[in-house]
Amino acid sequence: MSVSPSINTYPDIGEFAFGNKGRILISIFLYLELYFVAIEFLILEGDNLHKLFPNAKIHFGCVKIVGREVFVLLDAIVILPTTWLKSLGLLAYVSIGGVLASIVLVFSIFWVGAIDGIGFEEKGVIWRWDGLISAISMYTFCYCGHAVFPTICNSMKDRSQFPKVLFVCFILSTITYGSMATMGYLMYGQNLMSQITLNLPTGKISSKIAIYTTFVNPITKYALVVSPIATAIEDKLPLRKSKFIISYFIRTFLVISTAIVALTIPFFGYVMTFTGALLGVTVSILLPCLCYVKIKRPSYLEVMFIGMILVFGSSIAISGTYTSLKNIISHV
């Protein structure tokens, strides 16, 4: 971004490096990644609320909706009005609830293990080669924030502080993810499910706090995730007078479509693996390297190092995508 003041967003970097084709390529992967994150939010909601209320069902004439499908649809209805907010300032106030919810969730899980009798004494297989690709794909999903880094950098008063912001952000994220992974392993071992909240005993207050906190998180973040997709579509529309109404239609359609996919493929872990492998690796590892090489003209040593990253990233993208799709198809 220091090369040109015209670079303000991630697609701008692609255009500066490879022209209009670069912008289109980055935009496709970026918006697909955000779209699948939104789908994950709905799957997450459906799974956790179904655990709390396993007998929930709704009748619409001859149509009977039961189980997690009820909560995916209800959650989509609750989330829908938040997607109509166009002010990022208002969305920021909504999303801060997600930050607080993440902190509460970590402490709630720790409380279940340390105070409520679950303990941290489970044993399991420390290392499994057949799960390595899926694990790396999931970790990549956790660090899918690269797409918004240029926007954050440009919004800062002192852009020279951005490397420090990144450093603190990655340290805190790694501590959060690492503590959740470690607690889950020590609490439930090989029986740990794709979401640790699905393992928690529902009779405990701390468990209910954790599950309800997990319920709050997607509601506060869904609109922020979908907003860039909707804005990109709206900016391409030639219509001006009726654009206000069409904007509501586009955002409503995005919610409906993500709900349909979440109902069709309700496999949280496999969808996360697919998103991390195909989209996360591409957006966070492959494309940044390619753009850097094109723009900065790095040294021979840097090129060798970047080449290693590209080979590693490509292997994860191919094998992770294949593994996740295979699992999704077999379960569907």
Side-chain angles (χ1 to χ4, degrees), residues 178-319:
S179 60
M180 287 292 283
T182 304
M183 286 190 293
Y185 175 80
L186 294 176
M187 288 169 66
Y188 297 106
Q190 299 299 111
N191 296 317
L192 183 66
M193 302 179 74
S194 63
Q195 304 161 50
I196 190 174
T197 48
L198 300 180
N199 288 93
L200 302 180
T202 54
K204 303 289 185 179
I205 296 297
S206 55
S207 298
K208 290 184 178 180
I209 292 174
I211 296 172
Y212 281 121
T213 302
T214 306
F215 169 67
V216 169
N217 229 332
I219 293 178
T220 59
K221 295 178 180 178
Y222 185 98
L224 276 175
V225 169
V226 170
S227 181
I229 308 174
T231 302
I233 297 173
E234 291 161 11
D235 290 342
K236 295 296 182 181
L237 293 176
L239 301 174
R240 295 297 174 188
K241 293 182 179 180
S242 57
K243 199 170 184 179
F244 184 76
I245 298 174
I246 294 177
S247 174
Y248 280 100
F249 173 79
I250 291 171
R251 291 161 190 264
T252 302
F253 174 78
L254 285 172
V255 175
I256 293 173
S257 63
T258 54
I260 292 173
V261 177
L263 291 171
T264 307
I265 314 174
F267 314 120
F268 184 81
Y270 296 146
V271 174
M272 177 183 285
T273 305
F274 172 80
T275 307
L278 178 62
L279 305 174
V281 169
T282 304
V283 170
S284 300
I285 297 177
L286 302 182
L287 292 177
C289 285
L290 294 172
C291 290
Y292 181 82
V293 170
K294 179 71 174 179
I295 294 172
K296 297 290 285 186
R297 305 293 182 183
S299 65
Y300 178 74
L301 185 62
E302 281 183 305
V303 170
M304 286 186 61
F305 186 69
I306 290 171
M308 292 170 61
I309 296 175
L310 289 171
V311 171
F312 172 77
S314 299
S315 62
I316 295 298
I318 294 171
S319 56

Side-chain angles (χ1 to χ4, degrees), residues 35-47 66-76 79 195 218 222 253-269 271 328 332:
Y35 187 79
F36 274 91
V37 170
I39 292 169
E40 282 285 79
F41 282 156
L42 294 179
I43 298 174
L44 181 75
E45 297 285 71
D47 288 346
V66 297
R68 64 169 56 88
E69 289 84 0
V70 172
F71 298 111
V72 170
L73 293 174
L74 288 178
D75 190 57
I79 284 174
Q195 304 161 50
Y222 185 98
F253 174 78
L254 285 172
V255 175
I256 293 173
S257 63
T258 54
I260 292 173
V261 177
L263 291 171
T264 307
I265 314 174
F267 314 120
F268 184 81
V271 174
I328 290 172
V332 168

Side-chain angles (χ1 to χ4, degrees), residues 115-132:
I115 309 297
D116 286 342
I118 299 297
F120 300 104
E121 300 176 355
E122 275 289 332
K123 303 294 183 181
V125 179
I126 294 287
W127 186 272
R128 281 177 49 199
W129 283 104
D130 61 340
L132 182 62

Side-chain angles (χ1 to χ4, degrees), residues 161-175:
Q161 298 294 314
F162 184 63
K164 294 181 181 178
V165 172
L166 281 187
F167 179 77
V168 173
C169 174
F170 272 92
I171 290 295
L172 293 177
S173 297
T174 302
I175 291 173

